[in-house]
Amino acid sequence: MSKATSSAPSQRMLRVGEQVRAAITQVLQRGEVRDDIIEKTVISVSEVRMSPDLKIATAYVTPLGVSDHAKVIEALNRNAKFIRGRLGGQLRQMKYMPEVRFRDDTSFDNYKKIDELLRSPEVQRDLAPDAGDDTDQ
């Protein structure tokens, strides 16, 4: 009998992902990573998604105040092994320390596009109550 597969993350994956996110944030805030690009940039870790076996952690980050996100993401991925080593103190309960991969978080750009669409004159016209509509008859 095969087990039903679900694309939704389990509660354990969500909990561990949040713990890894907090640990990565602390490592970055303390300035433990010796890289000029990372040291000069404020980095927001918005989400960490864990693989089902909890061995791979994909961290979605947003470099604040930087126009070229690719350089920061590249620097983080270059230092991923060092960051993984620094997570050990905060994630002692884990059997295996996850491999950390960094990706650019584009969700804020998507939210901005949706907000611009909702504020566009065409949508506002459709949402406005009709002046000639007699609903009280």
Side-chain angles (χ1 to χ4, degrees), residues 29-88:
Q29 282 180 344
R30 286 191 299 240
E32 296 179 22
V33 182
R34 298 290 176 216
D35 189 300
D36 289 339
I37 296 172
I38 297 172
E39 286 179 342
K40 295 177 183 177
T41 307
V42 177
I43 300 171
S44 170
V45 183
S46 56
E47 180 184 9
V48 173
R49 293 183 188 162
M50 300 299 297
S51 64
D53 62 358
L54 304 179
K55 290 188 178 182
I56 299 174
T58 305
Y60 291 91
V61 298
T62 303
L64 304 175
V66 177
S67 60
D68 189 11
H69 290 195
K71 287 183 181 180
V72 177
I73 302 300
E74 182 182 326
L76 286 168
N77 282 316
R78 247 193 340 262
N79 292 287
K81 287 184 180 180
F82 176 79
I83 294 170
R84 177 185 184 190
R86 302 305 294 173
L87 298 178

